[in-house]
Amino acid sequence: MAGDHVPPEAVAKAAEKGLDLREKFKRGGTQIGVARARDLKNRVNLSADTIKRMSSYFSRHKVDKRAKNFGDDSDPSAGYIAWLLWGGDAGRDWAEKQKGKMGKE
């Protein structure tokens, strides 16, 4: 099972939405976030290090969810766009589950 970290469809869809919103509103996320979103959208098999980085990102950025316009698709906060680039809530849940599996291997 080691190294089998292909993002599920829900994670890919959230990343794709993040890329679309970033393109439309010209804000949110870093180049690293954009690269991550492309991998998630394309459902690339991710390394254990990448899973750990995703988990760290979500831990650091959960405060972004309190921002005005978080979750507003018509005028999204930069933090919301960035959150989606990393796979959104589905990405957070999936990364945590993957990290838990890695701990057991």
Side-chain angles (χ1 to χ4, degrees), residues 7 11-12 17-18 32 36 43-44 46 54 65-66 77 84 87 90 97 105:
V11 177
K17 180 178 178 177
I32 291 165
R36 180 73 52 249
R43 302 186 71 197
V44 170
L46 304 177
M54 285 179 70
K65 295 188 97 172
R66 292 192 220 129
S77 65
L84 288 171
K97 199 185 313 174
E105 288 173 1

Side-chain angles (χ1 to χ4, degrees), residues 61-100:
H61 289 273
K62 60 181 175 239
V63 297
D64 294 353
K65 295 188 97 172
R66 292 192 220 129
K68 182 178 182 288
N69 295 1
F70 190 96
D72 180 350
D73 292 341
S74 60
D75 184 21
S77 65
Y80 177 57
I81 294 172
W83 187 265
L84 288 171
L85 292 175
W86 286 80
D89 289 352
R92 177 199 56 205
D93 297 346
W94 177 74
E96 286 308 311
K97 199 185 313 174
Q98 295 300 305
K99 204 172 129 190

Side-chain angles (χ1 to χ4, degrees), residues 3 6 8 11 15 20-25 27 31 33-34 42 46 48 50 53 65 69 85 90 98 101:
V6 177
V11 177
D20 292 345
L21 289 174
R22 188 174 194 269
E23 177 69 24
K24 182 175 178 185
F25 293 98
R27 64 176 174 255
Q31 287 311 114
V34 170
N42 294 321
L46 304 177
T50 297
R53 281 197 295 276
K65 295 188 97 172
N69 295 1
L85 292 175
Q98 295 300 305
K101 284 184 195 169

Side-chain angles (χ1 to χ4, degrees), residues 1-21:
M1 194 72 188
D4 184 20
H5 304 300
V6 177
E9 189 68 31
V11 177
K13 290 239 178 295
E16 185 172 16
K17 180 178 178 177
L19 288 168
D20 292 345
L21 289 174

Side-chain angles (χ1 to χ4, degrees), residues 42-61:
N42 294 321
R43 302 186 71 197
V44 170
N45 189 2
L46 304 177
S47 70
D49 278 351
T50 297
I51 299 293
K52 288 177 191 150
R53 281 197 295 276
M54 285 179 70
S55 178
S56 296
Y57 169 84
F58 287 116
S59 295
R60 284 193 317 274
H61 289 273

